[in-house]
Amino acid sequence: EKGIYFASGGSTGAPKYIFYDAAEYERVCMNLGRAMENAGLGKGDRAANLFVAGNLWSSFLSVEKGLPYTAAVSVPVGSAMPMESIVKYLAEFDVTAIIGLPSFLLKVAEAAVNHKVKTPLRYIFYGGEYVGPGMADYFRQVFPGVRIHSAAYATVDAGTIGYQCPHCSGGTHHLFADEHYLEILDPETGLPVPDGQIGELVTTVLNKRHMPIIRFKLGDLGRFINTPCPCGRRDRRFEILGRC
């Protein structure tokens, strides 16, 4: 009762189906909003959600439910329209943040150049794929001064795990320690590696009861970072260093 089903992307095999009750899912979306706000999204921003909707995927719906937990205004454009219409919306609403898959956001940037579209873009939030240095350089060329952050470190199975502050870049995130118990383990022995060493990221979700996620392998390699973050937040930092 009062729940929702999602499907994983199936990148590591057949898609898995994941159930959240309504309160659990609301918490995931609240934390997604917190993640984007912690990176800087806030008052005066107009955020265009460019994720794909449907097919039991969580990204578009979760962003729409997460944005009201920030001070930004949502512009739920999606990705199903012709690219010319998408960039027209970005200009018409003076969009300051776009959120989506990096490969699709790259096409948006190319269309903005081709159609000579101007928008006061301040943020690019990405999820689901990696943004390499070359792609980041192109984004900054098309949208001068834009800041590039992950929307959150999250999976459909485990929810919202980590967030970036303005001082985080690449794969570095702060941990939502009130939501996740994150371990970094030796893939061979299953034992924790010393802080700073690389291992496999494994999480236990602390607030999910209807379909518990316990010591779930996230499929990523990473390490804990023990130095203080310049932002002053005490949430522990970790760095994602590629797929296992």
Side-chain angles (χ1 to χ4, degrees):
E1 295 180 355
K2 293 185 178 181
I4 189 166
Y5 277 109
F6 290 118
S8 68
S11 60
T12 55
K16 298 182 293 294
Y17 301 120
I18 296 93
F19 178 78
Y20 287 88
D21 84 356
E24 291 171 343
Y25 181 53
E26 192 68 29
R27 191 179 186 100
V28 168
C29 296
M30 175 188 71
N31 288 323
L32 178 57
R34 286 171 63 195
M36 292 186 287
E37 190 171 59
N38 287 344
L41 187 71
K43 187 176 181 180
D45 283 314
R46 292 164 297 282
N49 182 358
L50 301 178
F51 272 116
V52 182
N55 200 29
L56 274 74
W57 291 333
S58 66
S59 51
F60 183 88
L61 185 60
S62 298
V63 168
E64 282 311 298
K65 287 177 70 67
L67 283 172
Y69 288 101
T70 75
V73 173
S74 174
V75 186
V77 178
S79 58
M81 297 180 299
M83 191 59 71
E84 183 177 0
S85 300
I86 291 174
V87 295
K88 178 183 175 184
Y89 276 131
L90 301 187
E92 189 170 354
F93 286 91
D94 286 331
V95 164
T96 63
I98 54 176
I99 309 165
L101 289 168
S103 54
F104 187 79
L105 299 182
L106 185 63
K107 295 177 182 178
V108 171
E110 292 169 345
V113 172
N114 293 335
H115 294 284
K116 297 180 172 58
V117 168
K118 300 294 183 182
T119 184
L121 203 69
R122 299 175 61 216
Y123 297 103
I124 291 176
F125 291 104
Y126 64 88
E129 298 167 353
Y130 177 67
V131 171
M135 187 183 293
D137 288 344
Y138 182 72
F139 283 143
R140 294 188 182 102
Q141 177 186 332
V142 176
F143 306 112
V146 72
R147 291 166 56 180
I148 303 167
H149 290 290
S150 76
Y153 181 53
T155 75
V156 66
D157 320 79
T160 313
I161 302 164
Y163 66 90
Q164 292 195 324
C165 72
H167 297 276
C168 290
S169 60
T172 302
H173 293 74
H174 289 274
L175 176 66
F176 278 125
D178 53 342
E179 303 291 335
H180 290 266
Y181 181 72
L182 184 67
E183 301 173 89
I184 299 182
L185 307 180
D186 184 317
E188 299 296 326
T189 67
L191 297 174
V193 300
D195 285 354
Q197 291 192 16
I198 298 171
E200 184 173 6
L201 273 62
V202 175
T203 191
T204 295
V205 185
L206 302 178
N207 298 296
K208 195 171 190 300
R209 297 290 182 267
H210 285 75
M211 187 176 175
I213 301 294
I214 300 170
R215 303 200 86 191
F216 178 76
K217 294 183 176 183
L218 292 164
D220 290 320
L221 295 171
R223 65 187 180 100
F224 281 121
I225 301 173
N226 289 326
T227 54
C229 184
C231 76
R233 292 176 174 86
R234 296 185 179 183
D235 295 334
R236 196 172 193 187
R237 287 189 298 163
F238 63 99
E239 184 181 15
I240 305 159
L241 296 168
R243 299 293 285 172
C244 290

